[in-house]
Amino acid sequence: MKVAIVLATSAGGVGGHVRSMVTGLCERGAHVVVLGPSSTDDLFGFAEAGARFAPVEIADRPHPAGDARAIARIRRLTRGADIVHAHGLRAGGLTAIALARAVPASLRTGVTPLVVTLHNAVIAGGMTGAAYATLERIVARSAAEVLGVSPDLEERMRSLGARSVQRALVPAPPRRRSEDPAAQAKVRADLGAVERPLVVVVARLAEQKGLPVLLDASVGWARRTPAPLVAIAGEGPLEAPLRARIEGEGLPVRLLGRRTDVPELLAAADVAVVSSVWEGQPLIVQEVLRAGRPLVATRVGGIPGMVGEAALLVPPGDAAALETAVARVLDDPAFAEHLASVASEQALRLPTEEDAIDQLTSVYARTTGTAS
């Protein structure tokens, strides 16, 4: 099967998921071409996974002239594909237009089937929000199959009239970590958390991740004795304002930048925190569960269904609730151990990469009419 995969700018979970799926599809004999920004390919190396890569600049915000060029290029590069799979609303909407799917059903004969995986909710307002709402309607009426990473995204597509909607499987690729206690002790020593609790956050430094609320909560943690160290691993556009606030208020927070030792960071943590405004099936939550660490997370998107009873959930945007939840974990070793144990059990229920590839091959076969 000839599969064309389209994605927009990505520096995190979407790109990692696409790279994983490309690897699995190529291993099963599919001929895959990935269309997306060169910067995304630089990060994830789709050719190394067995695909052909062709640059198409799809930004993460509306850009009329750039979008028109992307649509024309997608239309040309997807000719001959048996199926086109777009990841994300921007990529999905532009691809639908490129495939001439956003037209009455009577004119759709001979058009390549389109599958769209929606990875994020629309949280923008104003003209940007209106543009995204238009793309949502285009995707809903154009895609043969829509995969949503959370129940709210699925319901949104159904309400807009999508023909077929199901839950996307977005597993975190397995990553090895050292089980040596000495290695974990070294991580803590390097961070300056030998005799103080360690709170680990792994997130892109962007609005979606709720990091200003995390800093609000850290004001309360700073009054504890000893004050826990909050270590945030990640890069992003909010780095400068976050750093300015941390330094200006003397908060017990360190920005670590991009890290390649996330499994070791999690293994060394007393508690992991996800403070996001919205999430689908965040890879970091899966990694925390696999690491068997206590987790405090916001009750948003697909997180509750992922974690079950394996995390302490708080409302998004509630710094007081976040502060109290983390303090509870730090103050109650038995409760922390309980969360860690349940996390390890919940990790066994997470979907695997093989499960995700099975889902895609089934969707592709059904959509193209090649299912046996």
Side-chain angles (χ1 to χ4, degrees):
M1 181 175 288
K2 298 177 182 178
V3 182
I5 295 178
V6 186
L7 77 165
T9 301
S10 174
V14 176
H17 172 67
V18 171
R19 164 66 192 251
S20 173
M21 296 304 96
V22 166
T23 300
L25 290 169
C26 290
E27 288 176 349
R28 296 196 185 188
H31 299 278
V32 180
V33 58
V34 177
L35 314 181
S38 297
S39 61
T40 302
D41 182 54
D42 291 341
L43 284 175
F44 298 103
F46 300 114
E48 297 171 8
R52 181 170 65 87
F53 178 77
V56 177
E57 297 305 317
I58 305 174
D60 58 359
R61 290 289 186 273
H63 188 287
D67 290 348
R69 288 192 294 271
I71 289 168
R73 190 159 170 77
I74 292 168
R75 182 181 295 120
R76 183 171 74 253
L77 292 171
T78 56
R79 288 173 184 159
D82 296 311
I83 194 161
V84 181
H85 187 166
H87 287 263
L89 181 58
R90 291 260 306 138
L94 298 186
T95 301
I97 296 170
L99 296 177
R101 294 291 308 220
V103 294
S106 60
L107 301 179
R108 290 179 182 168
T109 57
V111 177
T112 306
L114 172 65
V115 175
V116 177
T117 298
L118 296 180
H119 292 267
N120 291 287
V122 175
I123 57 178
M127 294 183 65
T128 298
Y132 281 136
T134 298
L135 290 179
E136 284 184 312
R137 291 191 291 273
I138 291 172
V139 167
R141 73 187 187 190
S142 303
E145 186 85 37
V146 177
L147 306 176
V149 301
S150 64
D152 54 322
L153 292 183
E154 294 177 76
E155 183 54 37
R156 174 68 173 167
M157 285 294 105
R158 292 190 182 100
S159 73
L160 292 174
R163 285 170 285 173
S164 181
V165 182
Q166 63 176 292
R167 182 70 49 81
L169 299 182
V170 186
R175 293 206 277 189
R176 293 184 178 180
R177 65 179 173 88
S178 173
E179 300 291 343
D180 183 2
Q184 298 170 21
K186 183 179 186 304
V187 169
R188 295 182 70 104
D190 290 345
L191 293 175
V194 174
E195 297 182 352
R196 59 194 297 199
L198 176 61
V199 179
V200 170
V201 179
V202 181
R204 186 166 184 265
L205 308 185
E207 292 289 346
Q208 179 194 343
K209 303 304 180 179
L211 297 174
V213 174
L214 180 80
L215 296 192
D216 291 342
S218 76
V219 173
W221 299 331
R223 293 191 289 264
R224 295 172 60 88
T225 304
L229 172 66
V230 183
I232 304 176
E235 300 174 323
L238 294 186
E239 180 176 352
L242 291 173
R243 189 177 301 280
R245 183 178 172 192
I246 291 166
E247 295 175 354
E249 299 181 24
L251 300 177
V253 180
R254 282 190 60 185
L255 298 180
L256 306 181
R258 189 176 185 88
R259 299 283 291 221
T260 59
D261 61 344
V262 169
E264 286 69 29
L265 285 173
L266 294 177
D270 293 293
V271 58
V273 172
V274 175
S275 56
S276 302
V277 175
W278 187 90
E279 290 284 0
Q281 297 175 41
L283 304 187
I284 188 56
V285 168
Q286 298 180 56
E287 293 199 57
V288 173
L289 296 177
R290 288 175 179 168
R293 304 311 301 143
L295 172 64
V296 174
T298 43
R299 189 182 292 105
V300 295
I303 289 180
M306 290 179 64
V307 301
E309 301 298 320
L312 199 53
L313 298 179
V314 300
D318 191 332
L322 182 60
E323 177 190 342
T324 299
V326 169
R328 180 183 176 190
V329 175
L330 297 179
D331 290 339
D332 190 341
F335 179 61
E337 183 59 33
H338 168 73
L339 283 180
S341 176
V342 178
S344 294
E345 295 173 3
Q346 185 69 10
L348 300 176
R349 304 184 184 97
L350 294 174
T352 66
E353 290 181 301
E354 284 298 307
D355 293 332
I357 297 299
D358 286 343
Q359 179 189 49
L360 291 188
T361 54
S362 175
V363 167
Y364 292 172
R366 184 176 68 253
T367 303
T368 58
T370 58
S372 56

